[in-house]
Amino acid sequence: MRHNWQSGDTSMANQSIIETRRYQMFPTLLPEEIERVRRFGELRSFAPGEALARVGELGPGLMIILSGKVDVFQTHGGERSLIVTHQTGSFMGELAQLGGRPALVDAIATEPVEVIVIPPAQLRALLIAEAELGERIMRALILRRMGLLETGAGGPIIVGRADNGDVLRLENFLSRNGHPHQRLDPETDSCGKVLIEKFSVLPDELPIVVCPNGKVLRNPTETELARCVGLISPLDPDQIHDVVVVGAGPAGLATAVYAASEGLSVLVLDCRAFGGQAGASARIENYLGFPTGVSGMALMGRAYNQAIKFGADIVIPCEAQSFETPTAERPFQLRLASEERVSARTVVLACGVRYRRLDVPNLSEFEMTSVHYWASPLEANLCARQEVALVGAGNSAGQATVYLASRAKKVWLLARGGSLEATMSRYLVDRIRGLSNVDVLTNAEVTGLEGSNGRLEAIRWRQNGVDERCELRHLFLFIGADPNTNWLRNSGLTLDDKGFVLTGANGNGSGPKTLETNIAGVFAIGDVRSGSIKRVAASVGEGAQVVAALHSYLADLAPTGIARA
Ligand SMILES: Cc1cc2nc3c(=O)[nH]c(=O)nc-3n(C[C@H](O)[C@H](O)[C@H](O)COP(=O)(O)OP(=O)(O)OC[C@H]3O[C@@H](n4cnc5c(N)ncnc54)[C@H](O)[C@@H]3O)c2cc1C
């Protein structure tokens, strides 16, 4: 079944987005609209046969066709196919052009072509200055990316088995960051086999990743992969950002949208993916304005694109490891896992929480393959028509149970307490009760995991003093979370007894800026903040609210822009 990345929609499941939304994907601009946007770009000509874009190469920006024709091709499964022929009034580009990233398609002039080239920064200015036209262009860019995500065209090719832990890790990284990719299983796919032979890959070097620029990576880290496909490039240590936001969950993305739209220079860092926990939620039903619910990925994908549109710079993956407070000579310095550093006038901590792990000795053996901390379509596909177990009794456990029950043969829901009602919203409890393939086991605790070579074969649990065993391949854990503040332990920040960051009167005693920590210029928002409401809406609200505090702090800075006046 096709899953709509941005809307979460699974209707019209077997039709491609090009078939269902073609007229919105490839609109034609009117001559007077083209005249209005001329000022954002410059003229350029291409001869027949010349490339306007090549997969894996950085292009000059969005191109509006003034005359001539351009064929746009995607490459999928080794085959090149025509997506569209652009002609006078249409424009060439997708989300890569908005963020200044390498192209995901090839585009070739079939006649003499004249275009207006609009570079990424100018494109963002156009989208803001021309609201109605901007909306049409933005929608087309998003839909074009969704089309590429459906086929995986233009992205890297991962060669490895679908259930291999490192394949899952790399696929998860690319899917969560809205980047197309394809996977070939070397055991069943002849192209996969050919690639393994061509590059003389040893079994323990799998998976390999073939990047669009031809480079081959052997079981890369997410950072190596992101570099190779052009998702990240070196950071400038001398550029001083008005604000560096650590974390691109709902709180961090809200800060990015409001701060960037109000003219601040914003750098957002996230060590994993945009969307944080919310991005991993199969369906958020209580977010204002979405009466039918919305998938976390759809909501967060929109927020991410909105932040990019306003000019926020978002770097993923990028882990902040420590920060130093300003001196008379220099502003805040954040040190990163990549050994780079970035400079900022203010810092917003939006680094959320991390999932709690189960206390069984061999858990880590199965974590990349059979033990999961979220239930996205990727995990749901892995356990389709199988029995699975899920541990937890909060709302996230409830949502995941409902979602998995629609794909799995049976879900065993194990809760430590005596009832779900004490910890889960009523609507979820009722929905779970109505599902015939969910068995709720209360007063139950997992006592052991069995399996070999990283593959789970059975789990053991104790319920009311009685030991049970069940053969199954997938276990989902939704047992709460701890704050992501280990990296802040020696920073001088005041944390509460559970490690959450204290703010406001609790933090610095002076109280006027409720989201400010005990260190002036450092703010904490969302789940990582002590006493915050752990909800998407609350995190978004704090992300918006903190921007007023940033303005007021920045207004008090000395003319050097470094130390507080
Ligand atoms: C499965 C699930 C379902 C949920 N469903 C709902 C729901 O239906 N309704 C609702 O209101 N809430 C729901 N929640 C809760 C909601 O998602 C969170 O309250 C919200 O995401 C918190 O947002 P945040 O931005 O503060 O933190 P997070 O979402 O935790 O984001 C923090 C980000 O910071 C990054 N990060 C951490 N440390 C670093 C570092 N050192 N350097 C760089 N980056 C770092 C992380 O990678 C992460 O992306 C759900 C949560 C889960 C797990």
Side-chain angles (χ1 to χ4, degrees):
M1 183 186 296
R2 286 202 164 95
H3 186 86
N4 189 325
W5 170 65
Q6 287 276 336
S7 70
D9 190 4
T10 49
S11 58
M12 294 193 269
N14 293 317
Q15 284 181 284
S16 80
I17 194 154
I18 298 192
E19 291 162 57
T20 57
R21 312 271 303 261
R22 191 171 190 97
Y23 73 101
Q24 287 181 315
M25 249 171 147
F26 303 114
T28 304
L29 306 187
L30 299 170
E32 56 270 29
E33 290 172 332
I34 295 179
E35 281 316 304
R36 281 210 314 268
V37 301
R38 256 178 205 278
R39 65 193 164 100
F40 292 97
E42 54 189 45
L43 290 179
R44 202 168 149 186
S45 304
F46 294 87
E50 207 179 332
L52 282 75
R54 284 221 184 273
V55 172
E57 290 180 12
L58 268 182
L62 185 105
M63 298 189 205
I64 301 176
I65 318 290
L66 297 177
S67 62
K69 287 187 181 169
V70 179
D71 280 346
V72 178
F73 298 96
Q74 62 178 349
T75 305
H76 176 242
E79 307 259 314
R80 202 156 104 127
S81 61
L82 182 72
I83 303 177
V84 67
T85 299
H86 286 305
Q87 36 198 320
T88 306
S90 56
F91 55 88
M92 218 200 73
E94 60 89 54
L95 285 178
Q97 277 62 51
L98 188 63
R101 305 256 157 84
L104 299 173
V105 294
D106 292 311
I108 312 289
T110 58
E111 302 175 352
V113 166
E114 203 184 345
V115 299
I116 303 173
V117 178
I118 305 182
Q122 287 297 95
L123 174 58
R124 295 193 288 267
L126 181 159
L127 294 178
I128 293 161
E130 289 280 337
E132 192 276 330
L133 180 59
E135 182 188 327
R136 255 185 294 149
I137 295 177
M138 188 72 191
R139 184 181 299 119
L141 302 186
I142 291 172
L143 290 171
R144 290 174 189 183
R145 172 60 63 93
M146 286 164 65
L148 294 172
L149 283 168
E150 272 183 4
T151 59
I157 300 169
I158 301 173
V159 185
R161 284 172 51 130
D163 59 358
N164 173 289
D166 288 308
V167 171
L168 265 174
R169 171 178 62 80
L170 297 170
E171 279 206 278
N172 242 317
F173 171 72
L174 293 167
S175 311
R176 283 285 312 269
N177 286 296
H179 196 83
H181 67 278
Q182 298 165 60
R183 177 175 37 77
L184 298 176
D185 185 334
E187 288 173 23
T188 55
D189 191 295
S190 58
C191 293
K193 215 175 281 176
V194 168
L195 286 170
I196 299 283
E197 282 163 13
K198 181 172 170 195
F199 297 112
S200 314
V201 181
L202 301 171
D204 64 0
E205 292 175 327
L206 282 171
I208 59 162
V209 181
V210 184
C211 296
N213 59 9
K215 211 170 160 189
V216 177
L217 305 174
R218 289 159 203 257
N219 196 8
T221 62
E222 286 87 328
T223 305
E224 286 165 338
L225 175 58
R227 284 230 164 90
C228 198
V229 298
L231 284 175
I232 50 173
S233 37
L235 290 159
D236 177 0
D238 298 324
Q239 185 182 351
I240 304 176
H241 305 272
D242 287 330
V243 53
V244 168
V245 183
V246 181
L253 288 177
T255 307
V257 166
Y258 289 99
S261 68
E262 290 173 25
L264 300 183
S265 63
V266 184
L267 177 69
V268 184
L269 314 173
D270 199 294
C271 54
R272 205 196 252 158
F274 65 75
Q277 301 165 70
S281 170
R283 185 151 287 272
I284 298 172
E285 304 223 26
N286 55 1
Y287 191 68
L288 190 73
F290 291 87
T292 55
V294 57
S295 88
M297 191 60 188
L299 186 66
M300 291 297 110
R302 286 187 170 99
Y304 173 80
N305 290 329
Q306 201 174 7
I308 299 277
K309 180 183 102 171
F310 283 121
D313 203 355
I314 306 183
V315 186
I316 303 173
C318 182
E319 184 181 347
Q321 285 200 325
S322 65
F323 76 84
E324 288 161 25
T325 46
T327 63
E329 287 79 37
R330 53 177 211 184
F332 285 105
Q333 301 285 298
L334 278 93
R335 294 196 180 276
L336 313 175
S338 57
E339 295 186 358
E340 291 169 292
R341 68 179 167 80
V342 289
S343 309
R345 296 186 176 89
T346 61
V347 177
V348 172
L349 303 170
C351 43
V353 298
R354 65 175 177 280
Y355 315 114
R356 227 168 259 159
R357 300 171 75 235
L358 207 59
D359 188 19
V360 288
N362 56 349
L363 179 74
S364 57
E365 260 183 57
F366 307 109
E367 276 187 316
M368 297 306 292
T369 50
S370 312
V371 172
H372 312 281
Y373 292 86
W374 52 85
S376 75
L378 202 69
E379 286 77 27
N381 278 343
L382 275 180
C383 58
R385 292 177 294 283
Q386 300 178 36
E387 293 198 10
V388 302
L390 191 148
V391 184
N395 279 351
S396 53
Q399 286 168 3
T401 302
V402 172
Y403 176 61
L404 289 172
S406 68
R407 312 295 288 278
K409 185 170 148 197
K410 176 169 186 163
V411 181
W412 297 88
L413 175 58
L414 280 75
R416 209 162 47 168
S419 80
L420 293 182
E421 277 82 353
T423 44
M424 196 180 285
S425 292
R426 182 82 234 171
Y427 81 93
L428 282 169
V429 177
D430 290 344
R431 206 168 284 176
I432 287 169
R433 290 233 168 85
L435 292 168
S436 56
N437 63 338
V438 177
D439 246 0
V440 180
L441 307 177
T442 52
N443 298 315
E445 266 185 79
V446 175
T447 51
L449 305 180
E450 296 173 16
S452 56
N453 300 324
R455 292 198 191 194
L456 187 66
E457 283 155 17
I459 72 164
R460 283 178 273 116
W461 67 78
R462 181 167 303 141
Q463 187 183 23
N464 298 321
V466 180
D467 289 323
E468 302 279 356
R469 180 178 180 278
C470 181
E471 287 184 7
L472 43 79
R473 290 277 315 279
H474 294 280
L475 171 66
F476 291 81
L477 300 179
F478 289 87
I479 50 176
D482 297 310
N484 279 319
T485 49
N486 278 348
W487 67 285
L488 296 167
R489 295 262 165 206
N490 299 319
S491 61
L493 278 177
T494 314
L495 307 178
D496 72 10
D497 56 345
K498 295 199 173 80
F500 290 87
V501 183
L502 286 163
T503 55
N506 291 332
N508 61 16
S510 61
K513 296 190 182 106
T514 46
L515 302 174
E516 193 168 31
T517 67
N518 62 309
I519 299 178
V522 180
F523 301 81
I525 56 170
D527 278 14
V528 78
R529 192 175 72 77
S530 177
S532 70
I533 306 299
K534 311 301 188 234
R535 286 278 178 273
V536 177
S539 300
V540 169
E542 292 189 4
Q545 191 186 340
V546 77
V547 175
L550 296 179
H551 281 303
S552 123
Y553 176 84
L554 289 168
D556 284 351
L557 280 183
T560 56
I562 291 174
R564 202 171 203 173

